[in-house]
Structure formats: structure tokens, C-alpha cells
Amino acid sequence: RCHRQEGACTKLDEDILDIPLDDPDANAAAAKIQASFRGHMTRKKIKGGEIDRKTKDAECANSTRGGD
């Protein structure tokens, strides 16, 4: 299950394979990391949306509407 040639596993590959997937502490740590990352991405997305919204609002305010 190595990413490289067979028989050429590095120490890091072996350490990753040795992580017990049924360990409650490891699962809790993984859940916390995943939740933090999802929150980070959501905040980043919201912040980007606010910037886009402000830009669009400014463009709407500055544009002239024809046919009104």
C-alpha cells in the first residue's frame, strides 16, 4: 500500500499505516481537526461572498438603469 515502488516504503508511510482506526482518541482528534477545517473554509467562503456582495452593490449603485 505504498505510494512508491513496492518494498520502498518510507518511515512516514509505515507510521501512517500503523495508525489504529478504531482508537476513540484518534477519532475524536480527527473529528476536531475536520470541524476546524470546515469552519475555516466556511468563514473563508463567507468572507469572499461579502467582498463580492459589496463589489456588486457598488456596481449596482454606480450603474444607470435604462428604461425606468
Side-chain angles (χ1 to χ4, degrees):
R1 291 188 32 140
C2 296
H3 301 289
R4 295 172 191 80
Q5 297 173 353
E6 286 204 35
C9 289
T10 64
K11 179 67 174 156
L12 180 60
D13 290 336
E14 291 174 11
D15 288 344
I16 290 171
L17 294 175
D18 289 339
I19 296 173
L21 300 178
D22 59 348
D23 182 16
D25 290 335
N27 286 332
K32 190 171 185 177
I33 292 167
Q34 290 170 355
S36 296
F37 182 75
R38 287 187 190 114
H40 163 74
M41 293 305 290
T42 301
R43 287 187 297 275
K44 184 176 177 182
K45 185 176 181 180
I46 290 171
K47 185 177 180 183
E50 288 176 358
I51 292 171
D52 290 344
R53 189 177 319 122
K54 289 178 184 177
T55 303
K56 288 178 184 177
D57 289 345
E59 288 174 0
C60 290
N62 291 334
S63 66
T64 58
R65 298 173 73 181
D68 281 346

